[in-house]
Amino acid sequence: MNLIILEDDLLQQERLKKFILAYLSQKKHSIGRMIVCGKTRQLLEELENISQNNIYFLETAIKGDLDAGLKVAQKIRKFDPLGQITFVTRHSEFATLTYEYRVNAHDVIDKKMSEIAFYDRIIANIEDFLTFNEQLPLSEVFTYLTRTGKVITALYSDIYFFETGNLSHQILLSMKSEVIPFYGSLTDIEKTSECLIRIHRNTVVNKNKIKRCLKKDKKIVLEDETTFYVSRSGRKNLREINKW
């Protein structure tokens, strides 16, 4: 896990960086790398070289673009579904837009608040992130090293299904509000947890998301109303877990 800051004001960059480093050192917390970016493009390039499950502090307005941070947060969320995103901004009026952009922001911190309150909120966000990662059982987290070397991480409770994409070896991970493409193997993926069941050569579903079985039509319906045909071997797999 890493800590990533997006801030185009050099004084604010240094202010946040120094405070966070001092706090982490004082508490003897370890968070891997700290990455400070002044441009959204720089941040997105950094994402190509790091693992997932990071904590992000993002300014919403970058280089005159008032919602640049919100836009980059959307891209971060596709790459890092478990990451914690906090907006640290001069434009707290943009807080309501975090819902419209569907980035699942953890917090919005107004730079105009008092210095004590500001730092208290930064600390609270760091501690929330560390506490979550300390308490989350590994059995509840899907972690997969893709064929391109990236690590995909997601909560099993958020996963609905995996299916093959249009490209060779492409897999599409479907969750509550997003679809994440990557390159891998369904055979390897279904082995990561007992909650993942192969129902067709092209599809692996989360058994806990199955809403009902349409035995006559040889289909299943998931909680999000997605319907899949179930092959003969898939029906056998479902019978083994008393789902068919």
Side-chain angles (χ1 to χ4, degrees):
M1 62 185 84
N2 304 285
L3 192 149
I4 301 167
I5 297 170
L6 175 64
E7 173 59 70
D8 61 345
D9 184 316
L10 295 180
L11 291 177
Q12 292 288 353
Q13 272 190 15
E14 198 63 20
R15 173 195 185 197
L16 204 50
K17 178 181 175 181
K18 283 186 176 180
F19 173 75
I20 291 174
L21 286 175
Y23 179 75
L24 294 176
S25 176
Q26 176 191 353
K27 295 296 183 178
K28 295 182 171 56
H29 290 323
S30 177
I31 298 191
R33 293 175 59 197
M34 174 181 283
I35 301 169
V36 182
C37 303
K39 299 178 180 179
T40 57
R41 182 175 62 184
Q42 180 187 359
L43 188 154
L44 294 175
E45 288 174 353
E46 290 286 354
L47 291 184
E48 297 178 1
N49 302 308
I50 61 175
S51 60
Q52 297 182 326
N53 194 22
N54 305 302
I55 180 170
Y56 303 85
F57 290 104
L58 309 177
E59 168 60 75
T60 54
I62 300 293
K63 305 298 181 184
D65 186 347
L66 293 181
D67 60 351
L70 293 165
K71 294 173 186 174
V72 81
Q74 288 181 315
K75 296 179 180 179
I76 288 171
R77 186 54 71 210
K78 291 180 180 179
F79 163 81
D80 190 355
L82 275 185
Q84 179 177 301
I85 296 175
T86 294
F87 292 104
V88 183
T89 180
R90 311 175 192 88
H91 304 277
S92 57
E93 67 272 16
F94 280 78
T96 56
L97 289 180
T98 62
Y99 299 101
E100 294 181 24
Y101 279 77
R102 301 176 71 180
V103 295
N104 190 26
H106 185 72
D107 197 5
V108 178
I109 303 176
D110 191 337
K111 291 179 180 177
K112 293 177 286 188
M113 65 174 56
S114 71
E115 190 163 304
I116 292 176
F118 177 84
Y119 287 136
D120 283 347
R121 288 279 285 278
I122 294 293
I123 290 171
N125 275 261
I126 293 173
E127 292 298 331
D128 287 347
F129 178 75
L130 294 173
T131 299
F132 174 81
N133 282 278
E134 287 172 359
Q135 294 180 352
L136 189 65
L138 292 178
S139 61
E140 296 181 13
V141 181
F142 168 75
T143 303
Y144 184 79
L145 180 63
T146 72
R147 296 193 177 191
T148 58
K150 288 187 177 182
V151 178
I152 302 294
T153 308
L155 293 174
Y156 281 111
S157 59
D158 288 339
I159 294 173
Y160 280 84
F161 60 90
F162 299 85
E163 62 182 344
T164 54
N166 294 326
L167 303 177
S168 178
H169 302 298
Q170 185 185 53
I171 305 295
L172 303 177
L173 163 56
S174 291
M175 299 193 293
K176 288 183 178 179
S177 60
E178 60 187 324
V179 177
I180 300 175
F182 61 92
Y183 292 92
S185 161
L186 282 181
T187 300
D188 294 337
I189 288 169
E190 67 176 318
K191 294 176 182 177
T192 63
S193 172
E194 293 182 355
C195 76
L196 299 181
I197 302 295
R198 189 75 166 262
I199 61 160
H200 189 274
R201 63 187 180 87
N202 296 327
T203 312
V204 170
V205 302
N206 183 345
K207 69 179 183 181
N208 299 319
K209 299 296 185 182
I210 298 175
K211 185 177 180 180
R212 59 183 180 275
C213 296
L214 308 176
K215 295 184 179 181
K216 183 177 180 180
D217 298 323
K218 300 181 177 60
K219 293 179 180 180
I220 61 168
V221 181
L222 304 185
E223 290 178 2
D224 65 350
E225 299 301 329
T226 303
T227 301
F228 287 109
Y229 169 76
V230 184
S231 67
R232 180 177 296 178
S233 59
R235 295 194 292 274
K236 178 182 177 182
N237 291 338
L238 290 171
R239 281 195 292 271
E240 289 177 356
I241 59 169
N242 299 316
K243 284 284 186 178
W244 191 263

PDB file of all heavy atoms in Angstrom, residues 4 9 17 32 34 50 59 61 63 79 139 151 155 163 170 175 180 182 190 193 203 213 224 230:
ATOM      1  N   ILE A   4      -0.598   8.533  -1.816  1.00  0.00           N
ATOM      2  CA  ILE A   4      -0.452   9.320  -3.034  1.00  0.00           C
ATOM      3  C   ILE A   4      -1.163  10.656  -2.877  1.00  0.00           C
ATOM      4  O   ILE A   4      -2.331  10.708  -2.475  1.00  0.00           O
ATOM      5  CB  ILE A   4      -1.019   8.548  -4.237  1.00  0.00           C
ATOM      6  CG1 ILE A   4      -0.278   7.206  -4.376  1.00  0.00           C
ATOM      7  CG2 ILE A   4      -0.880   9.364  -5.523  1.00  0.00           C
ATOM      8  CD1 ILE A   4      -0.936   6.233  -5.309  1.00  0.00           C
ATOM      9  N   ASP A   9      -0.303  23.015  -6.056  1.00  0.00           N
ATOM     10  CA  ASP A   9       0.301  24.127  -5.317  1.00  0.00           C
ATOM     11  C   ASP A   9       1.516  23.585  -4.561  1.00  0.00           C
ATOM     12  O   ASP A   9       1.378  22.755  -3.657  1.00  0.00           O
ATOM     13  CB  ASP A   9      -0.730  24.708  -4.344  1.00  0.00           C
ATOM     14  CG  ASP A   9      -0.216  25.935  -3.610  1.00  0.00           C
ATOM     15  OD1 ASP A   9       0.934  25.927  -3.157  1.00  0.00           O
ATOM     16  OD2 ASP A   9      -0.988  26.900  -3.485  1.00  0.00           O
ATOM     17  N   LYS A  17       2.983  16.933   2.668  1.00  0.00           N
ATOM     18  CA  LYS A  17       4.025  15.901   2.676  1.00  0.00           C
ATOM     19  C   LYS A  17       4.780  15.874   4.006  1.00  0.00           C
ATOM     20  O   LYS A  17       4.945  14.810   4.620  1.00  0.00           O
ATOM     21  CB  LYS A  17       4.992  16.153   1.525  1.00  0.00           C
ATOM     22  CG  LYS A  17       6.152  15.178   1.462  1.00  0.00           C
ATOM     23  CD  LYS A  17       7.074  15.532   0.299  1.00  0.00           C
ATOM     24  CE  LYS A  17       8.306  14.640   0.288  1.00  0.00           C
ATOM     25  NZ  LYS A  17       9.222  14.998  -0.829  1.00  0.00           N
ATOM     26  N   GLY A  32       4.634   2.022   2.770  1.00  0.00           N
ATOM     27  CA  GLY A  32       5.288   1.892   1.468  1.00  0.00           C
ATOM     28  C   GLY A  32       5.774   3.236   0.946  1.00  0.00           C
ATOM     29  O   GLY A  32       6.350   4.039   1.692  1.00  0.00           O
ATOM     30  N   MET A  34       5.553   7.168  -0.614  1.00  0.00           N
ATOM     31  CA  MET A  34       4.737   8.367  -0.710  1.00  0.00           C
ATOM     32  C   MET A  34       5.013   8.975  -2.080  1.00  0.00           C
ATOM     33  O   MET A  34       6.162   9.243  -2.432  1.00  0.00           O
ATOM     34  CB  MET A  34       5.055   9.385   0.383  1.00  0.00           C
ATOM     35  CG  MET A  34       4.296  10.701   0.181  1.00  0.00           C
ATOM     36  SD  MET A  34       4.655  11.958   1.428  1.00  0.00           S
ATOM     37  CE  MET A  34       3.674  11.344   2.787  1.00  0.00           C
ATOM     38  N   ILE A  50       2.634   0.685  -9.581  1.00  0.00           N
ATOM     39  CA  ILE A  50       2.436   0.370  -8.168  1.00  0.00           C
ATOM     40  C   ILE A  50       1.307  -0.634  -7.999  1.00  0.00           C
ATOM     41  O   ILE A  50       0.519  -0.860  -8.903  1.00  0.00           O
ATOM     42  CB  ILE A  50       2.129   1.644  -7.346  1.00  0.00           C
ATOM     43  CG1 ILE A  50       0.838   2.310  -7.842  1.00  0.00           C
ATOM     44  CG2 ILE A  50       3.297   2.619  -7.389  1.00  0.00           C
ATOM     45  CD1 ILE A  50       0.407   3.503  -6.989  1.00  0.00           C
ATOM     46  N   GLU A  59      -6.521  16.968  -4.591  1.00  0.00           N
ATOM     47  CA  GLU A  59      -7.136  18.281  -4.790  1.00  0.00           C
ATOM     48  C   GLU A  59      -8.113  18.146  -5.951  1.00  0.00           C
ATOM     49  O   GLU A  59      -7.826  17.480  -6.947  1.00  0.00           O
ATOM     50  CB  GLU A  59      -6.054  19.320  -5.098  1.00  0.00           C
ATOM     51  CG  GLU A  59      -6.571  20.655  -5.615  1.00  0.00           C
ATOM     52  CD  GLU A  59      -7.493  21.390  -4.671  1.00  0.00           C
ATOM     53  OE1 GLU A  59      -7.014  21.960  -3.679  1.00  0.00           O
ATOM     54  OE2 GLU A  59      -8.724  21.388  -4.950  1.00  0.00           O
ATOM     55  N   ALA A  61      -9.322  20.723  -7.837  1.00  0.00           N
ATOM     56  CA  ALA A  61      -8.995  21.676  -8.913  1.00  0.00           C
ATOM     57  C   ALA A  61      -7.503  21.631  -9.217  1.00  0.00           C
ATOM     58  O   ALA A  61      -6.678  21.924  -8.347  1.00  0.00           O
ATOM     59  CB  ALA A  61      -9.406  23.087  -8.507  1.00  0.00           C
ATOM     60  N   LYS A  63      -4.581  22.872 -12.088  1.00  0.00           N
ATOM     61  CA  LYS A  63      -4.227  23.678 -13.262  1.00  0.00           C
ATOM     62  C   LYS A  63      -5.438  24.365 -13.895  1.00  0.00           C
ATOM     63  O   LYS A  63      -5.587  24.400 -15.110  1.00  0.00           O
ATOM     64  CB  LYS A  63      -3.522  22.799 -14.305  1.00  0.00           C
ATOM     65  CG  LYS A  63      -2.305  22.046 -13.797  1.00  0.00           C
ATOM     66  CD  LYS A  63      -1.206  22.965 -13.318  1.00  0.00           C
ATOM     67  CE  LYS A  63       0.009  22.172 -12.843  1.00  0.00           C
ATOM     68  NZ  LYS A  63       1.064  23.045 -12.271  1.00  0.00           N
ATOM     69  N   PHE A  79      -8.896   1.328 -11.338  1.00  0.00           N
ATOM     70  CA  PHE A  79      -7.635   0.630 -11.098  1.00  0.00           C
ATOM     71  C   PHE A  79      -7.566   0.050  -9.684  1.00  0.00           C
ATOM     72  O   PHE A  79      -7.040  -1.043  -9.472  1.00  0.00           O
ATOM     73  CB  PHE A  79      -6.465   1.594 -11.315  1.00  0.00           C
ATOM     74  CG  PHE A  79      -5.162   1.132 -10.723  1.00  0.00           C
ATOM     75  CD1 PHE A  79      -4.370   0.213 -11.397  1.00  0.00           C
ATOM     76  CD2 PHE A  79      -4.727   1.601  -9.493  1.00  0.00           C
ATOM     77  CE1 PHE A  79      -3.169  -0.230 -10.849  1.00  0.00           C
ATOM     78  CE2 PHE A  79      -3.529   1.170  -8.934  1.00  0.00           C
ATOM     79  CZ  PHE A  79      -2.748   0.246  -9.632  1.00  0.00           C
ATOM     80  N   SER A 139      -8.989 -13.598   3.829  1.00  0.00           N
ATOM     81  CA  SER A 139      -9.946 -14.489   3.182  1.00  0.00           C
ATOM     82  C   SER A 139     -11.089 -13.728   2.526  1.00  0.00           C
ATOM     83  O   SER A 139     -11.804 -14.273   1.696  1.00  0.00           O
ATOM     84  CB  SER A 139     -10.507 -15.491   4.186  1.00  0.00           C
ATOM     85  OG  SER A 139     -11.194 -14.807   5.228  1.00  0.00           O
ATOM     86  N   VAL A 151      -1.534  -6.063  -9.971  1.00  0.00           N
ATOM     87  CA  VAL A 151      -2.263  -6.780  -8.930  1.00  0.00           C
ATOM     88  C   VAL A 151      -3.681  -6.229  -8.849  1.00  0.00           C
ATOM     89  O   VAL A 151      -3.877  -5.028  -8.673  1.00  0.00           O
ATOM     90  CB  VAL A 151      -1.563  -6.639  -7.565  1.00  0.00           C
ATOM     91  CG1 VAL A 151      -2.374  -7.346  -6.479  1.00  0.00           C
ATOM     92  CG2 VAL A 151      -0.145  -7.188  -7.624  1.00  0.00           C
ATOM     93  N   LEU A 155     -12.870  -6.694  -2.681  1.00  0.00           N
ATOM     94  CA  LEU A 155     -13.570  -7.479  -1.673  1.00  0.00           C
ATOM     95  C   LEU A 155     -14.451  -8.514  -2.372  1.00  0.00           C
ATOM     96  O   LEU A 155     -15.168  -8.175  -3.322  1.00  0.00           O
ATOM     97  CB  LEU A 155     -14.447  -6.579  -0.804  1.00  0.00           C
ATOM     98  CG  LEU A 155     -13.732  -5.584   0.109  1.00  0.00           C
ATOM     99  CD1 LEU A 155     -14.757  -4.672   0.772  1.00  0.00           C
ATOM    100  CD2 LEU A 155     -12.933  -6.317   1.168  1.00  0.00           C
ATOM    101  N   GLU A 163     -16.080 -12.809 -16.325  1.00  0.00           N
ATOM    102  CA  GLU A 163     -16.349 -13.430 -17.617  1.00  0.00           C
ATOM    103  C   GLU A 163     -15.251 -13.063 -18.599  1.00  0.00           C
ATOM    104  O   GLU A 163     -14.532 -12.074 -18.413  1.00  0.00           O
ATOM    105  CB  GLU A 163     -17.712 -13.001 -18.160  1.00  0.00           C
ATOM    106  CG  GLU A 163     -17.859 -11.523 -18.420  1.00  0.00           C
ATOM    107  CD  GLU A 163     -19.254 -11.158 -18.918  1.00  0.00           C
ATOM    108  OE1 GLU A 163     -19.993 -12.066 -19.334  1.00  0.00           O
ATOM    109  OE2 GLU A 163     -19.598  -9.959 -18.878  1.00  0.00           O
ATOM    110  N   GLN A 170      -8.454 -11.943 -21.999  1.00  0.00           N
ATOM    111  CA  GLN A 170      -9.025 -10.815 -21.257  1.00  0.00           C
ATOM    112  C   GLN A 170     -10.146 -11.294 -20.344  1.00  0.00           C
ATOM    113  O   GLN A 170     -10.995 -12.090 -20.734  1.00  0.00           O
ATOM    114  CB  GLN A 170      -9.574  -9.748 -22.199  1.00  0.00           C
ATOM    115  CG  GLN A 170     -10.073  -8.503 -21.462  1.00  0.00           C
ATOM    116  CD  GLN A 170     -10.736  -7.504 -22.389  1.00  0.00           C
ATOM    117  OE1 GLN A 170     -11.642  -7.845 -23.139  1.00  0.00           O
ATOM    118  NE2 GLN A 170     -10.273  -6.255 -22.349  1.00  0.00           N
ATOM    119  N   MET A 175     -18.395  -5.758 -10.654  1.00  0.00           N
ATOM    120  CA  MET A 175     -18.711  -5.502  -9.256  1.00  0.00           C
ATOM    121  C   MET A 175     -19.954  -4.621  -9.167  1.00  0.00           C
ATOM    122  O   MET A 175     -20.669  -4.450 -10.149  1.00  0.00           O
ATOM    123  CB  MET A 175     -17.503  -4.891  -8.556  1.00  0.00           C
ATOM    124  CG  MET A 175     -16.289  -5.824  -8.569  1.00  0.00           C
ATOM    125  SD  MET A 175     -14.985  -5.311  -7.437  1.00  0.00           S
ATOM    126  CE  MET A 175     -14.450  -3.798  -8.210  1.00  0.00           C
ATOM    127  N   ILE A 180     -13.965  -4.081 -14.270  1.00  0.00           N
ATOM    128  CA  ILE A 180     -12.516  -3.930 -14.368  1.00  0.00           C
ATOM    129  C   ILE A 180     -11.971  -4.972 -15.331  1.00  0.00           C
ATOM    130  O   ILE A 180     -12.094  -6.179 -15.084  1.00  0.00           O
ATOM    131  CB  ILE A 180     -11.847  -4.092 -12.998  1.00  0.00           C
ATOM    132  CG1 ILE A 180     -12.366  -3.026 -12.025  1.00  0.00           C
ATOM    133  CG2 ILE A 180     -10.330  -4.012 -13.120  1.00  0.00           C
ATOM    134  CD1 ILE A 180     -11.845  -3.178 -10.624  1.00  0.00           C
ATOM    135  N   PHE A 182      -8.877  -7.029 -17.169  1.00  0.00           N
ATOM    136  CA  PHE A 182      -7.469  -7.379 -16.958  1.00  0.00           C
ATOM    137  C   PHE A 182      -7.200  -8.685 -17.713  1.00  0.00           C
ATOM    138  O   PHE A 182      -8.106  -9.275 -18.302  1.00  0.00           O
ATOM    139  CB  PHE A 182      -7.146  -7.513 -15.464  1.00  0.00           C
ATOM    140  CG  PHE A 182      -7.935  -8.587 -14.738  1.00  0.00           C
ATOM    141  CD1 PHE A 182      -7.453  -9.874 -14.618  1.00  0.00           C
ATOM    142  CD2 PHE A 182      -9.158  -8.289 -14.158  1.00  0.00           C
ATOM    143  CE1 PHE A 182      -8.166 -10.857 -13.945  1.00  0.00           C
ATOM    144  CE2 PHE A 182      -9.893  -9.251 -13.484  1.00  0.00           C
ATOM    145  CZ  PHE A 182      -9.388 -10.547 -13.376  1.00  0.00           C
ATOM    146  N   GLU A 190     -11.067 -19.024 -10.299  1.00  0.00           N
ATOM    147  CA  GLU A 190     -12.048 -19.782  -9.525  1.00  0.00           C
ATOM    148  C   GLU A 190     -11.414 -20.538  -8.362  1.00  0.00           C
ATOM    149  O   GLU A 190     -12.099 -20.931  -7.416  1.00  0.00           O
ATOM    150  CB  GLU A 190     -12.816 -20.757 -10.424  1.00  0.00           C
ATOM    151  CG  GLU A 190     -11.983 -21.878 -11.004  1.00  0.00           C
ATOM    152  CD  GLU A 190     -12.816 -22.863 -11.805  1.00  0.00           C
ATOM    153  OE1 GLU A 190     -13.925 -23.199 -11.350  1.00  0.00           O
ATOM    154  OE2 GLU A 190     -12.350 -23.293 -12.878  1.00  0.00           O
ATOM    155  N   SER A 193     -11.101 -18.767  -4.224  1.00  0.00           N
ATOM    156  CA  SER A 193     -12.051 -18.788  -3.110  1.00  0.00           C
ATOM    157  C   SER A 193     -13.178 -19.780  -3.379  1.00  0.00           C
ATOM    158  O   SER A 193     -13.583 -19.982  -4.526  1.00  0.00           O
ATOM    159  CB  SER A 193     -12.661 -17.396  -2.904  1.00  0.00           C
ATOM    160  OG  SER A 193     -13.713 -17.429  -1.955  1.00  0.00           O
ATOM    161  N   THR A 203     -17.595 -18.140 -17.768  1.00  0.00           N
ATOM    162  CA  THR A 203     -18.153 -17.376 -16.645  1.00  0.00           C
ATOM    163  C   THR A 203     -17.886 -18.036 -15.291  1.00  0.00           C
ATOM    164  O   THR A 203     -18.113 -19.233 -15.115  1.00  0.00           O
ATOM    165  CB  THR A 203     -19.680 -17.218 -16.801  1.00  0.00           C
ATOM    166  OG1 THR A 203     -19.980 -16.777 -18.119  1.00  0.00           O
ATOM    167  CG2 THR A 203     -20.220 -16.215 -15.797  1.00  0.00           C
ATOM    168  N   CYS A 213     -32.427 -19.705  -9.160  1.00  0.00           N
ATOM    169  CA  CYS A 213     -32.075 -20.618 -10.245  1.00  0.00           C
ATOM    170  C   CYS A 213     -33.329 -20.925 -11.069  1.00  0.00           C
ATOM    171  O   CYS A 213     -34.364 -21.301 -10.500  1.00  0.00           O
ATOM    172  CB  CYS A 213     -31.505 -21.923  -9.693  1.00  0.00           C
ATOM    173  SG  CYS A 213     -29.959 -21.722  -8.789  1.00  0.00           S
ATOM    174  N   ASP A 224     -27.972  -8.516  -9.000  1.00  0.00           N
ATOM    175  CA  ASP A 224     -28.080  -7.317  -9.837  1.00  0.00           C
ATOM    176  C   ASP A 224     -28.933  -7.568 -11.082  1.00  0.00           C
ATOM    177  O   ASP A 224     -28.940  -6.752 -12.002  1.00  0.00           O
ATOM    178  CB  ASP A 224     -26.694  -6.810 -10.239  1.00  0.00           C
ATOM    179  CG  ASP A 224     -25.942  -7.793 -11.130  1.00  0.00           C
ATOM    180  OD1 ASP A 224     -26.405  -8.948 -11.278  1.00  0.00           O
ATOM    181  OD2 ASP A 224     -24.901  -7.403 -11.695  1.00  0.00           O
ATOM    182  N   VAL A 230     -26.399 -21.753 -17.684  1.00  0.00           N
ATOM    183  CA  VAL A 230     -25.536 -22.640 -16.912  1.00  0.00           C
ATOM    184  C   VAL A 230     -25.309 -23.921 -17.700  1.00  0.00           C
ATOM    185  O   VAL A 230     -26.267 -24.621 -18.058  1.00  0.00           O
ATOM    186  CB  VAL A 230     -26.158 -22.967 -15.537  1.00  0.00           C
ATOM    187  CG1 VAL A 230     -25.191 -23.818 -14.716  1.00  0.00           C
ATOM    188  CG2 VAL A 230     -26.514 -21.683 -14.784  1.00  0.00           C
TER     189      VAL A 230
END
